[in-house]
Coordinates of all heavy atoms in Angstrom, one line a residue:
M6 N 115.7 148.2 22.6 CA 116.3 146.9 22.5 C 115.5 145.8 23.3 O 115.2 146.0 24.5 CB 117.7 146.9 23.1 CG 118.5 145.6 23.1 SD 119.1 145.1 21.5 CE 120.1 146.5 21.0
N7 N 115.1 144.8 22.6 CA 114.4 143.7 23.3 C 115.0 142.4 22.9 O 116.0 142.3 22.1 CB 112.9 143.7 23.0 CG 112.6 143.6 21.5 OD1 113.2 142.8 20.8 ND2 111.7 144.4 21.0
C8 N 114.4 141.3 23.4 CA 115.0 140.0 23.1 C 115.1 139.6 21.7 O 115.9 138.8 21.3 CB 114.2 138.9 23.9 SG 114.4 139.1 25.7
R9 N 114.2 140.1 20.9 CA 114.2 139.8 19.4 C 115.2 140.6 18.7 O 115.7 140.2 17.7 CB 112.8 140.0 18.9 CG 111.8 139.0 19.4 CD 110.5 138.9 18.5 NE 109.7 137.9 18.9 CZ 109.8 136.6 18.5 NH1 110.8 136.2 17.8 NH2 109.0 135.7 19.0
E10 N 115.5 141.8 19.2 CA 116.4 142.7 18.5 C 117.9 142.3 18.9 O 118.8 142.7 18.1 CB 116.1 144.1 18.8 CG 114.9 144.6 18.2 CD 114.4 146.0 18.8 OE1 115.0 146.4 19.8 OE2 113.6 146.7 18.1
L11 N 118.0 141.7 20.0 CA 119.4 141.5 20.5 C 120.3 140.7 19.6 O 121.4 141.1 19.4 CB 119.3 140.9 21.9 CG 120.7 140.9 22.6 CD1 120.8 142.1 23.5 CD2 120.9 139.6 23.3
P12 N 119.8 139.6 19.1 CA 120.8 138.7 18.3 C 121.4 139.5 17.2 O 122.6 139.3 16.8 CB 119.9 137.6 17.8 CG 118.8 137.5 18.7 CD 118.5 138.9 19.2
R13 N 120.6 140.4 16.6 CA 121.2 141.1 15.4 C 122.3 142.0 15.9 O 123.3 142.2 15.2 CB 120.1 142.0 14.8 CG 120.3 142.2 13.3 CD 119.0 142.8 12.7 NE 117.8 142.0 13.0 CZ 116.6 142.3 12.6 NH1 116.4 143.5 12.1 NH2 115.6 141.5 12.9
A14 N 122.1 142.7 17.0 CA 123.2 143.6 17.6 C 124.3 142.8 18.2 O 125.4 143.3 18.3 CB 122.5 144.5 18.6
L15 N 124.0 141.6 18.6 CA 125.0 140.8 19.4 C 126.2 140.5 18.6 O 127.4 140.5 19.1 CB 124.4 139.5 19.9 CG 125.1 138.8 21.0 CD1 125.2 139.7 22.3 CD2 124.3 137.5 21.4
G16 N 126.0 140.2 17.3 CA 127.2 139.9 16.4 C 128.2 141.0 16.4 O 129.4 140.8 16.6
D17 N 127.7 142.3 16.2 CA 128.6 143.4 16.2 C 129.2 143.6 17.6 O 130.4 143.9 17.7 CB 127.9 144.7 15.8 CG 127.4 144.6 14.4 OD1 128.1 143.9 13.6 OD2 126.4 145.3 14.0
Y18 N 128.4 143.4 18.6 CA 128.9 143.6 20.0 C 130.0 142.7 20.3 O 131.1 143.1 20.8 CB 127.7 143.4 20.9 CG 128.1 143.5 22.4 CD1 128.4 144.7 23.0 CD2 128.0 142.4 23.2 CE1 128.7 144.8 24.3 CE2 128.4 142.4 24.5 CZ 128.7 143.6 25.1 OH 129.0 143.7 26.4
L19 N 129.8 141.4 20.0 CA 130.8 140.4 20.3 C 132.1 140.6 19.4 O 133.2 140.1 19.7 CB 130.3 139.0 20.1 CG 129.2 138.6 21.2 CD1 128.6 137.3 20.8 CD2 129.8 138.5 22.5
D20 N 131.9 141.2 18.3 CA 132.9 141.5 17.3 C 133.8 142.6 17.8 O 134.9 142.8 17.3 CB 132.4 141.9 16.0 CG 132.9 141.0 14.9 OD1 133.4 139.9 15.2 OD2 132.9 141.4 13.7
G21 N 133.4 143.2 18.9 CA 134.2 144.3 19.5 C 134.0 145.6 18.7 O 134.7 146.6 18.9
A22 N 133.0 145.6 17.8 CA 132.8 146.8 17.0 C 132.1 147.9 17.9 O 131.2 147.6 18.7 CB 131.8 146.5 15.8
Q23 N 132.6 149.1 17.8 CA 132.1 150.1 18.7 C 130.8 150.7 18.0 O 130.8 151.9 17.6 CB 133.1 151.2 18.9 CG 134.3 150.7 19.8 CD 133.8 150.1 21.1 OE1 133.1 150.8 21.9 NE2 134.2 148.9 21.5
E24 N 129.9 149.9 17.8 CA 128.6 150.3 17.2 C 127.8 151.1 18.2 O 127.9 150.9 19.4 CB 127.8 149.1 16.8 CG 128.4 148.3 15.7 CD 128.4 149.0 14.4 OE1 127.5 149.7 14.0 OE2 129.4 148.9 13.6
P25 N 127.0 152.0 17.8 CA 126.1 152.8 18.7 C 125.2 151.8 19.5 O 124.8 152.2 20.6 CB 125.3 153.7 17.8 CG 126.0 153.7 16.5 CD 126.8 152.5 16.4
G26 N 124.9 150.7 18.9 CA 124.1 149.7 19.6 C 124.7 149.0 20.8 O 124.1 148.4 21.6
G27 N 126.0 149.2 21.0 CA 126.8 148.5 22.0 C 126.2 148.8 23.4 O 126.1 147.9 24.2
A28 N 125.9 150.0 23.7 CA 125.4 150.4 25.0 C 124.1 149.8 25.2 O 123.7 149.4 26.4 CB 125.4 152.0 25.1
E29 N 123.3 149.8 24.2 CA 121.9 149.2 24.3 C 122.0 147.7 24.6 O 121.2 147.2 25.4 CB 121.1 149.5 23.0 CG 120.5 150.9 23.0 CD 119.5 151.0 21.8 OE1 118.6 150.2 21.8 OE2 119.8 151.8 20.9
V30 N 122.9 147.1 23.9 CA 123.1 145.6 24.2 C 123.5 145.4 25.6 O 122.9 144.6 26.3 CB 124.2 145.1 23.2 CG1 124.6 143.6 23.7 CG2 123.8 145.1 21.8
E31 N 124.4 146.2 26.1 CA 124.8 146.0 27.5 C 123.7 146.3 28.5 O 123.6 145.6 29.5 CB 126.0 146.9 27.8 CG 127.3 146.4 27.1 CD 128.6 147.1 27.5 OE1 128.5 148.1 28.4 OE2 129.6 146.8 27.0
R32 N 122.9 147.3 28.2 CA 121.8 147.6 29.0 C 120.8 146.5 29.1 O 120.3 146.1 30.1 CB 121.1 148.9 28.5 CG 120.2 149.6 29.6 CD 120.1 151.1 29.3 NE 119.6 151.4 28.0 CZ 120.3 152.3 27.2 NH1 121.3 152.9 27.6 NH2 119.8 152.5 26.0
H33 N 120.5 145.9 27.9 CA 119.6 144.8 27.9 C 120.2 143.6 28.6 O 119.4 142.9 29.3 CB 119.2 144.5 26.4 CG 118.2 143.4 26.3 ND1 116.8 143.6 26.4 CD2 118.3 142.0 26.3 CE1 116.2 142.5 26.4 NE2 117.0 141.5 26.3
L34 N 121.5 143.4 28.4 CA 122.1 142.2 29.1 C 122.0 142.3 30.6 O 121.9 141.3 31.3 CB 123.5 142.0 28.6 CG 123.7 141.6 27.1 CD1 125.2 141.6 26.8 CD2 123.1 140.3 26.8
K35 N 122.1 143.5 31.1 CA 122.1 143.8 32.5 C 120.7 143.4 33.1 O 120.5 143.0 34.2 CB 122.4 145.2 32.9 CG 123.9 145.4 32.9 CD 124.3 146.8 33.6 CE 125.8 147.0 33.6 NZ 126.2 148.0 32.6
A36 N 119.7 143.7 32.2 CA 118.3 143.6 32.7 C 117.7 142.2 32.4 O 116.7 141.8 33.0 CB 117.4 144.6 32.0
C37 N 118.3 141.4 31.4 CA 117.7 140.2 31.0 C 118.6 139.0 31.1 O 119.6 138.9 30.5 CB 117.3 140.4 29.5 SG 116.5 138.9 28.8
R38 N 118.3 138.1 32.0 CA 119.1 137.0 32.4 C 119.2 136.1 31.2 O 120.3 135.5 30.9 CB 118.5 136.3 33.6 CG 119.3 135.1 34.0 CD 118.8 134.5 35.3 NE 119.5 133.3 35.7 CZ 119.0 132.1 35.2 NH1 117.9 132.0 34.5 NH2 119.7 131.0 35.5
K39 N 118.1 135.9 30.5 CA 118.1 134.9 29.3 C 119.1 135.4 28.3 O 119.9 134.5 27.8 CB 116.7 134.9 28.7 CG 116.6 134.0 27.5 CD 115.1 134.0 27.0 CE 115.1 133.6 25.6 NZ 113.7 133.6 25.1
C40 N 119.1 136.6 27.9 CA 120.0 137.1 26.9 C 121.5 137.1 27.4 O 122.4 137.0 26.6 CB 119.6 138.5 26.5 SG 118.1 138.5 25.5
R41 N 121.6 137.3 28.7 CA 123.0 137.3 29.3 C 123.6 135.9 29.1 O 124.8 135.8 28.7 CB 122.9 137.6 30.8 CG 124.2 138.3 31.3 CD 123.8 139.2 32.5 NE 123.2 138.5 33.6 CZ 122.2 138.9 34.3 NH1 121.6 140.1 34.0 NH2 121.7 138.2 35.2
I42 N 122.8 134.9 29.3 CA 123.3 133.5 29.2 C 123.6 133.2 27.7 O 124.7 132.7 27.4 CB 122.2 132.5 29.7 CG1 122.0 132.6 31.2 CG2 122.6 131.1 29.3 CD1 120.8 131.9 31.7
V43 N 122.7 133.7 26.8 CA 123.0 133.5 25.4 C 124.2 134.2 25.0 O 125.1 133.6 24.3 CB 121.8 134.0 24.6 CG1 122.1 133.9 23.1 CG2 120.5 133.1 24.9
C44 N 124.4 135.4 25.5 CA 125.6 136.2 25.1 C 126.8 135.6 25.6 O 127.8 135.5 24.9 CB 125.4 137.6 25.7 SG 126.8 138.7 25.3
E45 N 126.8 135.1 26.8 CA 128.0 134.5 27.4 C 128.4 133.2 26.6 O 129.6 133.0 26.3 CB 127.8 134.1 28.9 CG 128.5 135.0 29.9 CD 129.9 135.5 29.3 OE1 130.8 134.7 29.2 OE2 130.0 136.7 29.1
T46 N 127.4 132.4 26.3 CA 127.6 131.2 25.6 C 128.2 131.5 24.2 O 129.2 130.9 23.7 CB 126.3 130.4 25.4 OG1 125.7 130.2 26.7 CG2 126.5 129.0 24.8
T47 N 127.6 132.5 23.5 CA 128.1 132.9 22.2 C 129.5 133.4 22.3 O 130.4 133.1 21.5 CB 127.2 133.9 21.6 OG1 125.8 133.5 21.7 CG2 127.5 134.2 20.2
R48 N 129.8 134.2 23.3 CA 131.1 134.8 23.4 C 132.2 133.7 23.6 O 133.2 133.8 23.0 CB 131.1 135.7 24.7 CG 132.3 136.7 24.7 CD 132.5 137.2 26.1 NE 131.4 137.9 26.7 CZ 131.2 139.2 26.6 NH1 132.0 140.0 25.9 NH2 130.1 139.8 27.2
Q49 N 131.8 132.7 24.4 CA 132.8 131.6 24.6 C 133.0 130.8 23.3 O 134.1 130.4 23.0 CB 132.3 130.7 25.7 CG 132.5 131.3 27.1 CD 131.7 130.5 28.1 OE1 131.3 129.4 27.9 NE2 131.6 131.1 29.3
T50 N 131.9 130.7 22.6 CA 132.0 129.9 21.3 C 132.8 130.7 20.3 O 133.7 130.1 19.6 CB 130.5 129.7 20.7 OG1 129.7 129.1 21.7 CG2 130.6 128.9 19.5
V51 N 132.6 132.0 20.2 CA 133.4 132.8 19.3 C 134.9 132.7 19.7 O 135.8 132.6 18.8 CB 132.9 134.2 19.3 CG1 133.8 135.2 18.5 CG2 131.5 134.3 18.7
R52 N 135.1 132.8 21.0 CA 136.5 132.8 21.5 C 137.2 131.5 21.1 O 138.3 131.4 20.7 CB 136.5 133.0 23.0 CG 137.9 133.4 23.5 CD 137.8 133.6 25.0 NE 137.0 134.8 25.4 CZ 136.3 135.0 26.5 NH1 136.2 134.0 27.3 NH2 135.6 136.1 26.7
L53 N 136.4 130.4 21.3 CA 136.9 129.1 21.0 C 137.3 129.0 19.5 O 138.4 128.5 19.1 CB 135.8 128.1 21.3 CG 136.3 126.6 21.6 CD1 137.0 126.6 22.9 CD2 135.0 125.7 21.7
Y54 N 136.4 129.4 18.6 CA 136.6 129.4 17.2 C 137.9 130.2 16.9 O 138.8 129.7 16.1 CB 135.5 130.0 16.4 CG 134.3 129.1 16.1 CD1 133.0 129.5 16.4 CD2 134.5 127.9 15.6 CE1 131.9 128.7 16.2 CE2 133.4 127.0 15.4 CZ 132.2 127.5 15.6 OH 131.1 126.7 15.4
R55 N 138.0 131.3 17.4 CA 139.1 132.2 17.1 C 140.4 131.7 17.6 O 141.4 131.7 16.8 CB 138.9 133.6 17.7 CG 137.8 134.3 16.9 CD 137.7 135.8 17.3 NE 136.6 136.4 16.5 CZ 135.9 137.4 16.8 NH1 136.2 138.0 18.0 NH2 135.0 137.9 16.0
S56 N 140.5 131.1 18.8 CA 141.7 130.6 19.3 C 142.1 129.3 18.5 O 143.3 129.1 18.3 CB 141.6 130.3 20.8 OG 140.7 129.3 21.0
A57 N 141.1 128.6 18.0 CA 141.4 127.4 17.2 C 141.9 127.8 15.8 O 142.9 127.1 15.3 CB 140.1 126.6 17.1
W58 N 141.4 128.8 15.3 CA 141.8 129.1 13.9 C 142.8 130.2 13.8 O 143.3 130.5 12.7 CB 140.5 129.5 13.1 CG 139.6 128.4 12.9 CD1 139.9 127.1 13.0 CD2 138.2 128.5 12.6 NE1 138.7 126.4 12.7 CE2 137.7 127.2 12.5 CE3 137.3 129.6 12.5 CZ2 136.3 126.9 12.3 CZ3 136.0 129.3 12.2 CH2 135.5 128.0 12.1
K59 N 143.1 130.9 14.9 CA 144.0 132.0 14.9 C 143.7 133.0 13.8 O 144.5 133.5 13.1 CB 145.4 131.5 14.7 CG 145.9 130.5 15.7 CD 146.5 131.3 16.9 CE 147.1 130.3 17.9 NZ 146.2 129.5 18.6
V60 N 142.4 133.3 13.8 CA 142.0 134.4 12.8 C 141.2 135.4 13.6 O 140.7 135.2 14.7 CB 141.1 133.8 11.7 CG1 141.8 132.9 10.8 CG2 139.9 133.1 12.3
C61 N 141.1 136.6 13.0 CA 140.5 137.7 13.7 C 139.0 137.8 13.4 O 138.2 138.3 14.2 CB 141.1 139.1 13.2 SG 142.8 139.2 13.7
T62 N 138.6 137.3 12.3 CA 137.1 137.3 11.9 C 136.7 135.9 11.6 O 137.4 135.1 11.0 CB 136.9 138.2 10.8 OG1 137.7 137.9 9.7 CG2 137.1 139.7 11.2
L63 N 135.4 135.6 11.9 CA 134.9 134.3 11.5 C 134.6 134.3 10.0 O 134.1 135.3 9.5 CB 133.6 134.1 12.3 CG 133.7 133.8 13.8 CD1 132.3 133.9 14.4 CD2 134.3 132.5 14.0
P64 N 134.8 133.2 9.4 CA 134.3 133.0 8.0 C 132.8 133.4 8.0 O 132.1 133.0 8.9 CB 134.5 131.6 7.7 CG 135.6 131.1 8.6 CD 135.4 132.0 9.9
A65 N 132.4 134.0 6.9 CA 131.0 134.5 6.8 C 130.0 133.4 7.0 O 129.0 133.6 7.6 CB 130.8 135.2 5.5
D66 N 130.3 132.2 6.4 CA 129.3 131.1 6.5 C 129.1 130.6 7.9 O 128.1 130.3 8.4 CB 129.6 130.0 5.5 CG 130.9 129.3 5.8 OD1 131.8 130.1 6.2 OD2 131.1 128.1 5.7
I67 N 130.3 130.6 8.6 CA 130.2 130.1 10.0 C 129.5 131.2 10.9 O 128.7 130.8 11.7 CB 131.7 130.0 10.6 CG1 132.4 128.9 9.8 CG2 131.6 129.6 12.1 CD1 132.0 127.5 9.9
E68 N 129.8 132.4 10.6 CA 129.1 133.5 11.4 C 127.6 133.5 11.2 O 126.9 133.6 12.1 CB 129.7 134.9 11.0 CG 129.3 135.9 12.0 CD 130.1 137.2 11.8 OE1 131.1 137.2 11.2 OE2 129.6 138.2 12.3
A69 N 127.3 133.2 9.9 CA 125.8 133.2 9.6 C 125.2 132.0 10.3 O 124.1 132.2 10.9 CB 125.6 133.1 8.1
R70 N 125.8 130.9 10.4 CA 125.3 129.7 11.1 C 125.2 130.0 12.6 O 124.3 129.6 13.3 CB 126.1 128.5 10.8 CG 125.7 127.9 9.5 CD 126.8 126.9 8.9 NE 127.1 125.9 9.9 CZ 128.2 125.0 9.7 NH1 128.9 125.2 8.7 NH2 128.4 124.1 10.6
L71 N 126.2 130.7 13.1 CA 126.3 131.0 14.5 C 125.1 131.9 14.9 O 124.4 131.7 15.9 CB 127.6 131.7 14.8 CG 127.9 131.9 16.3 CD1 128.0 130.5 17.0 CD2 129.2 132.6 16.5
M72 N 124.9 132.9 14.0 CA 123.8 133.9 14.3 C 122.5 133.2 14.2 O 121.5 133.5 14.9 CB 123.9 135.1 13.3 CG 125.1 136.0 13.6 SD 125.0 136.8 15.2 CE 126.5 136.2 15.9
A73 N 122.3 132.3 13.2 CA 121.1 131.5 13.1 C 120.8 130.7 14.3 O 119.7 130.6 14.8 CB 121.1 130.7 11.8
A74 N 121.9 130.1 14.9 CA 121.8 129.3 16.0 C 121.3 130.1 17.2 O 120.5 129.7 18.1 CB 123.1 128.6 16.3
I75 N 121.9 131.3 17.3 CA 121.6 132.2 18.4 C 120.1 132.6 18.3 O 119.4 132.6 19.3 CB 122.4 133.5 18.4 CG1 123.9 133.1 18.7 CG2 121.9 134.5 19.4 CD1 124.9 134.2 18.3
Q76 N 119.7 132.9 17.1 CA 118.3 133.4 16.9 C 117.3 132.3 17.3 O 116.3 132.5 17.8 CB 118.1 133.9 15.5 CG 118.9 135.2 15.3 CD 118.4 136.0 14.1 OE1 117.4 135.6 13.4 NE2 119.0 137.1 13.9
R77 N 117.7 131.0 16.9 CA 116.8 129.9 17.3 C 116.8 129.8 18.8 O 115.7 129.5 19.3 CB 117.4 128.6 16.7 CG 116.9 128.3 15.3 CD 117.1 126.8 15.0 NE 118.4 126.3 15.2 CZ 119.4 126.5 14.3 NH1 119.2 127.1 13.1 NH2 120.6 126.0 14.5
R78 N 117.9 129.9 19.4 CA 117.9 129.8 20.9 C 117.1 130.9 21.6 O 116.5 130.7 22.6 CB 119.4 129.9 21.4 CG 119.6 129.5 22.8 CD 121.0 129.6 23.2 NE 121.9 128.7 22.5 CZ 122.8 128.0 23.1 NH1 122.9 128.0 24.4 NH2 123.6 127.2 22.4
M79 N 117.2 132.1 21.0 CA 116.5 133.3 21.6 C 115.0 133.1 21.5 O 114.3 133.5 22.4 CB 116.9 134.5 20.8 CG 118.3 134.9 20.9 SD 118.8 135.5 22.5 CE 118.0 137.0 22.5
S80 N 114.5 132.4 20.4 CA 113.1 132.3 20.3 C 112.5 131.1 21.0 O 111.3 131.0 21.2 CB 112.7 132.2 18.8 OG 113.4 131.2 18.2
G81 N 113.4 130.2 21.5 CA 112.9 129.1 22.2 C 113.2 129.2 23.7 O 113.8 130.2 24.1
P82 N 112.8 128.2 24.5 CA 113.1 128.3 25.9 C 114.6 128.0 26.2 O 115.2 127.3 25.4 CB 112.3 127.1 26.5 CG 112.0 126.2 25.3 CD 112.0 127.1 24.1
V83 N 115.1 128.6 27.2 CA 116.5 128.5 27.5 C 116.7 127.2 28.4 O 116.0 127.0 29.3 CB 117.1 129.7 28.3 CG1 118.5 129.4 28.8 CG2 117.1 130.9 27.5
Ligands
LIG14 ZN1 116.4 139.6 26.5

């Protein structure tokens, strides 16, 4: 798991999916401050969306845009 692989796994991780990648995500987040910040920000954003819409899953287009935003953030300076 590195900074480029993280965004892909992060979606499942934040979704609460018990993917095998979850442990790797957490390990990387412990070691990498940049990804920790991105993860926290994303987690709060997802929570905000969900509490606003009272839904369990994000609409696919919103999730795709969120993931794209995360990837842009990951590849640029924090
Ligand atoms: Zn990282």
Side-chain angles (χ1 to χ4, degrees):
M6 180 72 57
N7 59 41
C8 294
R9 291 198 174 277
E10 290 168 343
L11 190 97
R13 211 169 303 172
L15 198 59
D17 291 335
Y18 176 70
L19 291 174
D20 233 22
Q23 294 301 308
E24 296 289 322
E29 279 190 60
V30 171
E31 287 187 2
R32 197 156 51 233
H33 184 85
L34 291 177
K35 280 196 179 105
C37 183
R38 181 172 171 272
K39 178 180 160 183
C40 289
R41 209 153 59 225
I42 292 168
V43 173
C44 179
E45 255 326 295
T46 307
T47 309
R48 198 199 300 267
Q49 285 169 16
T50 306
V51 169
R52 195 179 292 150
L53 203 69
Y54 277 132
R55 286 188 179 158
S56 64
W58 292 338
K59 299 275 189 287
V60 292
C61 294
T62 52
L63 289 170
D66 61 324
I67 301 291
E68 189 166 346
R70 278 162 58 190
L71 191 62
M72 287 301 120
I75 294 165
Q76 295 198 359
R77 270 201 306 278
R78 192 184 293 231
M79 299 289 289
S80 55
V83 172

